[in-house]
Amino acid sequence: ETGVTQTPRHLVMGMTNKKSLKCEQHLGHNAMYWYKQSAKKPLELMFVYNFKEQTENNSVPSRFSPECPNSSHLFLHLHTLQPEDSALYLCASSQGASPLHFGNGTRLTVT
Amino acid sequence: SQELEQSPQSLIVQEGKNLTINCTSSKTLYGLYWYKQKYGEGLIFLMMLQKGGEEKSHEKITAKLDEKKQQSSLHITASQPSHAGIYLCGADIKNSGYSTLTFGKGTMLLVSP
């Protein structure tokens, strides 16, 4: 059971493709996050949105473009990715500084 | 070096045995969170610690926070196969007002029958 739903669960894309990851939270939280999880590395915070406003961008390359149309939805638009961008992308939400609630992630493979 | 170090990186224990996982921060902790992850899935929240000396338990899992040492430990008593997974500690080292957590690399736990 998860209050945070991510789609798709798996995605394979070529380096010239454009795709989007979607996240939806049903918890009434005001903050949403994108994290990247690569093998043998700690989770890396990518973006934070608080009340739909982007409050943090951790030097993420411009080929990743987030969008937060409302407090319940978060997107990550992908274009011209590199093979090293292959990873598990996790969305999370929180109410202020409360514990993060994570979705099950999108496993992305860039070929 | 990393801001949050977890040890050990991996652990195999026999069912019924106790184990401890440690998490050490190089920066001041404003909150320490423990999560569990099954491979390829999302993180499940276990416990949050905010005050020095705080200790919390849930079923057979106990977490403690030593604020002065900037360390936390997660202890599992009488391990079961259901405890297998990756345990991650996440720390609030920014005190930003929302949960911009920094995570350790995780500890992979296997429980053998």
Side-chain angles (χ1 to χ4, degrees), chain A residues 60-74:
Chain A
V60 180
S62 59
R63 56 186 184 270
F64 295 91
S65 174
E67 179 190 359
C68 187
N70 55 60
S71 293
S72 299
H73 293 86
L74 185 65

Side-chain angles (χ1 to χ4, degrees), chain B residues 21-39:
Chain B
I21 298 169
N22 294 299
C23 177
T24 303
S25 173
S26 61
K27 298 192 176 180
T28 301
L29 293 171
Y30 295 98
L32 193 290
Y33 301 74
W34 284 100
Y35 287 85
K36 180 184 176 184
Q37 184 181 29
K38 296 213 168 169
Y39 179 76

Side-chain angles (χ1 to χ4, degrees), chain A residues 3-90:
Chain A
V4 180
T5 305
Q6 288 188 244
T7 53
R9 288 296 311 275
H10 301 272
L11 179 63
V12 179
M13 59 186 288
M15 288 190 283
T16 58
N17 290 159
K18 287 185 181 180
K19 296 285 184 184
S20 296
L21 310 185
K22 180 182 175 182
C23 176
E24 184 175 358
Q25 58 101 355
H26 312 275
L27 301 167
H29 289 165
N30 58 289
M32 296 189 78
Y33 311 72
W34 280 116
Y35 275 89
K36 175 184 178 183
Q37 188 176 36
S38 306
K40 298 184 181 179
K41 284 186 177 181
L43 266 78
E44 300 170 62
L45 177 63
M46 299 175 72
F47 302 104
V48 181
Y49 278 83
N50 197 27
F51 291 105
K52 303 188 298 178
E53 298 298 318
Q54 188 180 126
T55 52
E56 198 145 335
N57 175 340
N58 273 354
S59 304
V60 180
S62 59
R63 56 186 184 270
F64 295 91
S65 174
E67 179 190 359
C68 187
N70 55 60
S71 293
S72 299
H73 293 86
L74 185 65
F75 295 90
L76 189 63
H77 304 298
L78 316 171
H79 64 97
T80 57
L81 295 192
Q82 305 298 311
E84 60 264 29
D85 296 323
S86 298
L88 182 67
Y89 288 85
L90 291 161

